[in-house]
Amino acid sequence: MQRRTLLAALAATLAVTVLPASAQSPRLKVGFMLPYSGTYAALGDAIEKGFRLYVAEQGGRLGGREIEYVKVDDESDPAKATDNVNKLIKRDNVDVLVGTVHSGVAMAMAKAAKDNGTLLIIPNAGAVAVTGPMCAQNIFRSSFSNWQPGYAMGEVAAKRGARKVVTITWKYAAGDESVGGFKEAFEKAGGQVVKELSLPFPNVEFQPLLTEIAAIKPDAVYTFFAGGGAVKFVKDYAAAGLKNTIPLYGAGFLTDGTLEAQGADAQGLLTTLHYGDGLDNAKDRAFRASYQKAYSAVPDVYAVQGYDAAQMLAIGLNAVKGDISKQADFAKALEAAKIDSPRGTFTIGPSHNPVQDIYLRQVAGRDNKVIGVATKALADPGRGCKM
Ligand code: BEZ
């Protein structure tokens, strides 16, 4: 062999054996589209932290591919959502979209994901349409549908003897669908929703509506609020003198990640959610210790949903050996998976929404203490989904 040929062969061998693995298979680009400002900012932050934690635990690689990140602040603003998601898909060429918190923004993301064939994993937003009429092979949720915690609380409220209930929420998909789930179960059990109160997202001028509740004197109130708005609502409800007279029931977002700010005003509140404190399973213990070590903070439901979004990506990527273009095989793997989550094991239903236990929790100190299972293995009906 001539000297020059020999050198070329040697260089080729070195390229395979000496170059880091990351240079051999291209990195997988994850685009976070989350709220990093506004009333849901803390929720976006916790989701990103949970996602990154799982990836770090796997040495920074999923399905053999090194993970890199880009991110966009969606400001929980549906009007900016299409532009924002297109930045990630068209400008940044992401392989996977991870987002978001707000249901209205998530619906724009789902449309873009469907139109462009980009994989989308939703780590919070419960918009029913996304795993209903908009469902698709490349769209998954690691969180819940808005209907699920509401439905579970409708059953709980009826069992606890409430007959006439007032609901209060923000007027957008999440609030409407949470109340819809509650009403469906509550009225099936013989109760009656006597008034549905709402205000535009993200307004927090609750006083006139609290005055109306005091005048109606229902047996209980059901509510959906989250983030900064939930903190203010719980405090205003107590300040209006309603806490000790009219039981307040909520989807668990009312008191998740918010207890430090709500303090005494949240004590004793009952909520329903797919995560809580004191679950006492091995996965949750390990997750909490790891999260605490990484961020010096206690994780909440949003952190769990971020962590599980990364776990779901790993399951799909492992099945296709990192080749994300194999969407049918990716989906098949997730549809068959049992996901070992800090919330307890869950599965992915035919419309790609989690089938999961919904817990009944009660606030005690800084904990949303799990006091029982409100509804076991609850599946969203997935109405209108045709895969
Ligand atoms: C939603 O918009 O779907 C949502 C936002 C915060 C908490 C839960 C749901």
Side-chain angles (χ1 to χ4, degrees), residues 40 43 101-104 124-127 144 146 172 174 224 226 253 302:
Y40 287 161
L43 287 57
V101 168
H102 184 288
S103 276
N124 184 71
F144 57 90
N146 292 318
Y172 81 104
F224 165 88
F253 315 104
Y302 309 105

Side-chain angles (χ1 to χ4, degrees), residues 141-299:
R141 188 149 45 202
S142 67
S143 51
F144 57 90
S145 80
N146 292 318
W147 179 92
Q148 284 175 307
Y151 188 89
M153 186 47 102
E155 292 185 332
V156 169
K159 273 190 207 132
R160 295 179 80 89
R163 283 294 159 261
K164 289 190 186 314
V165 163
V166 170
T167 63
I168 177 167
T169 188
W170 278 315
K171 187 81 203 142
Y172 81 104
D176 291 345
E177 292 166 1
S178 183
V179 165
F182 175 86
K183 195 171 168 182
E184 188 178 326
F186 186 60
E187 297 202 336
K188 207 191 285 174
Q192 193 191 354
V193 171
V194 293
K195 184 95 190 178
E196 296 180 35
L197 300 170
S198 63
L199 71 173
F201 174 87
N203 285 10
V204 289
E205 299 307 318
F206 301 121
Q207 201 49 56
L209 301 178
L210 294 174
T211 305
E212 217 175 320
I213 290 171
I216 296 169
K217 295 191 180 63
D219 298 331
V221 168
Y222 173 75
T223 190
F224 165 88
F225 289 111
V231 171
K232 173 115 182 347
F233 182 75
V234 164
K235 295 191 93 55
D236 286 5
Y237 196 84
L242 297 176
K243 183 166 185 263
N244 297 325
T245 51
I246 306 174
L248 177 62
Y249 299 140
F253 315 104
L254 186 69
T255 55
D256 228 81
T258 54
L259 289 176
E260 199 175 327
Q262 288 164 334
D265 294 336
Q267 296 307 303
L269 290 183
L270 287 172
T271 63
T272 41
L273 205 61
H274 49 288
Y275 187 60
D277 297 299
L279 278 173
D280 198 28
N281 68 58
K283 185 75 178 183
D284 192 41
R285 276 196 296 276
F287 166 72
R288 282 176 172 248
S290 173
Y291 194 92
Q292 178 73 41
K293 186 159 176 238
Y295 305 117
S296 303
V298 177

Side-chain angles (χ1 to χ4, degrees), residues 54-74:
Y54 181 78
V55 174
E57 286 173 357
Q58 313 312 306
R61 305 173 74 82
L62 303 181
R65 309 231 353 224
E66 191 179 338
I67 304 296
E68 73 170 289
Y69 301 102
V70 286
K71 59 198 228 182
V72 160
D73 177 7
D74 67 35

